[in-house]
Amino acid sequence: MVDEFNVTYITLGGYVEMGKYRYFYFFIMFTVYILTICFNCTIVYLILMHNNLHEPMHIFFAALLLNSVVYNTAMYPKLLSDILSEKQIISYSACLSQFFVYYTLSASDFFLLSAMSYDRYVQYVAMCKPLRYPTIMRKSTVSSILVLAWLVPAGEMAVSVTLVTNSKLCNSTLGAFFCNNSLYKLFCESSRALFIFDVLALLNMALFPLFFILFTYTRILIMSYRSGRNVRKKAAQTCLPHLIVLICFSSLCGYDVIIIQLGSDLHFMMTLQAFFYYPLLNPVIYGLKMKEISKHLKRLFCQAKVM
C-alpha cells in the first residue's frame, strides 16, 4: 500500500496489457469519446427543443443519453490520461467516486430501460382506448419515474460505498482500467454485510428491472401476435432496438458481476467492448429507429450542409 501525505493510492494494473498499442487505443477511445458526447448531446438538444418530442418515451430516452454523457465525462478523461502515462495511479477516494458513478449510472440505465418498456406496454394496452394513455403517463408520473431512476441507485450505492470504505485494504494493485467490482480483490477479508447488501442491490437494481422488461415485452409480443399484421410489424420495429440495447447492456453487466472469477485477458477484451461500442449504441440505434427523432436529425444535417 502506497501512503504519501496520508493519502492511499491504488495502482491500476490493467494498462499493462495494452503494451506498445497504447497510442492506437488512445486514438480510438478519444474518437469514441468525442463522437459519443456529440451524438448524445445532439439528440438530447433535439428532444428538449421540439415540443412534438416531449413525449414520455422521448423524455426517458433523453435521460438515458444524459446518463451516458455524465458517465463518459466522469470516466474518459482519467482513462485517456492513464493510457499515455507511465504510471497509472488513483487515490482511494477518487477510486470510490469512480465506483459510485459507474454502478449508480448503470443501475439508473436499468430503471430507465424499464420505464421505456412500461411506456410501450401502456401504449399497446391503450390501443383500443387512446384516451387512457395520457391519464396513466402524466407529466407527474414521468417526473416521479425519472427522480426514482436516479435517486434509488444513488442511495443504494451510497450505502455500498460506505461499507466499502470501512473495509481494510491489503493490496494496492488493481487489475483493471478503472475502479469497478475488481476493487473487492484488494480487501484483506470479505465483509458479510457488504456481500448481503450487494446481493440485495443486484436484485433490486438489475435483476428485478430486467425481469420486468422481459415481462412487458413478452406481453406486447403476445398482444401483437393476436392482432393484425400491421400491429405485429409495428411491434417488431419498436421493440427490436430496445431489446438489442438491453441484451448488450445486460451482457456487459453480467460480465461485471462475475469479473472476480475471470482471467485478465477476458477482462481486457470485455472492458474495451464496454468503452468502445456501447456508448455509441443508444444514440445510433434509437436515434435512427425513432421516426420523429430521425426526421429532426435529417433536418439538422440538411441545415448544416446549407450553411
Side-chain angles (χ1 to χ4, degrees), residues 16-74:
V16 176
E17 300 169 47
M18 289 187 173
K20 60 182 179 180
Y21 299 105
R22 290 178 182 272
Y23 292 101
F24 172 75
Y25 287 125
F26 176 86
F27 174 76
I28 296 297
M29 298 189 79
F30 180 75
T31 303
V32 171
Y33 172 57
I34 297 299
L35 291 176
T36 300
I37 297 297
C38 291
F39 287 177
N40 285 284
C41 289
T42 299
I43 296 179
V44 171
Y45 168 79
L46 291 175
I47 293 173
L48 292 178
M49 294 301 296
H50 295 89
N51 291 329
N52 66 325
L53 297 180
H54 292 176
E55 299 178 357
M57 175 57 67
H58 297 127
I59 296 298
F60 293 141
F61 178 48
L64 194 68
L65 297 185
L66 188 61
N67 273 3
S68 183
V69 171
V70 175
Y71 169 80
N72 284 280
T73 303

Side-chain angles (χ1 to χ4, degrees), residues 191-206:
S191 169
R192 184 176 180 83
L194 179 60
F195 174 78
I196 294 174
F197 182 83
D198 282 350
V199 170
L200 294 176
L202 176 64
L203 291 173
N204 184 43
M205 296 191 297

Side-chain angles (χ1 to χ4, degrees), residues 145-218:
I145 291 174
L146 288 176
V147 170
L148 290 174
W150 283 316
L151 288 186
V152 171
E156 293 199 11
M157 286 311 304
V159 175
S160 182
V161 169
T162 301
L163 294 173
V164 168
T165 304
N166 295 329
S167 299
K168 185 179 179 181
L169 297 177
C170 282
N171 190 1
S172 63
T173 302
L174 186 69
F177 297 95
F178 62 97
C179 297
N180 57 3
N181 207 26
S182 299
L183 186 63
Y184 292 163
K185 292 182 177 180
L186 306 184
F187 299 154
C188 298
E189 57 184 16
S190 58
S191 169
R192 184 176 180 83
L194 179 60
F195 174 78
I196 294 174
F197 182 83
D198 282 350
V199 170
L200 294 176
L202 176 64
L203 291 173
N204 184 43
M205 296 191 297
L207 293 181
F208 288 160
L210 178 61
F211 290 147
F212 177 78
I213 295 171
L214 294 176
F215 169 77
T216 55
Y217 274 90
T218 300

Side-chain angles (χ1 to χ4, degrees), residues 7-12 75 78 89-103 157 161 164-165 169 172-174 176-184 186-187:
V7 177
T8 300
Y9 288 91
I10 293 175
T11 301
L12 301 172
M75 304 294 288
K78 171 63 176 171
I89 59 175
I90 185 172
S91 67
Y92 189 45
S93 59
C95 185
L96 292 178
S97 297
Q98 272 194 351
F99 182 86
F100 175 80
V101 170
Y102 178 66
Y103 287 108
M157 286 311 304
V161 169
V164 168
T165 304
L169 297 177
S172 63
T173 302
L174 186 69
F177 297 95
F178 62 97
C179 297
N180 57 3
N181 207 26
S182 299
L183 186 63
Y184 292 163
L186 306 184
F187 299 154

Side-chain angles (χ1 to χ4, degrees), residues 106-126:
S106 296
S108 179
D109 280 0
F110 267 116
F111 280 103
L112 291 172
L113 289 171
S114 299
M116 294 172 71
S117 68
Y118 176 69
D119 180 73
R120 292 184 190 274
Y121 177 69
V122 173
Q123 284 182 342
Y124 275 92
V125 170

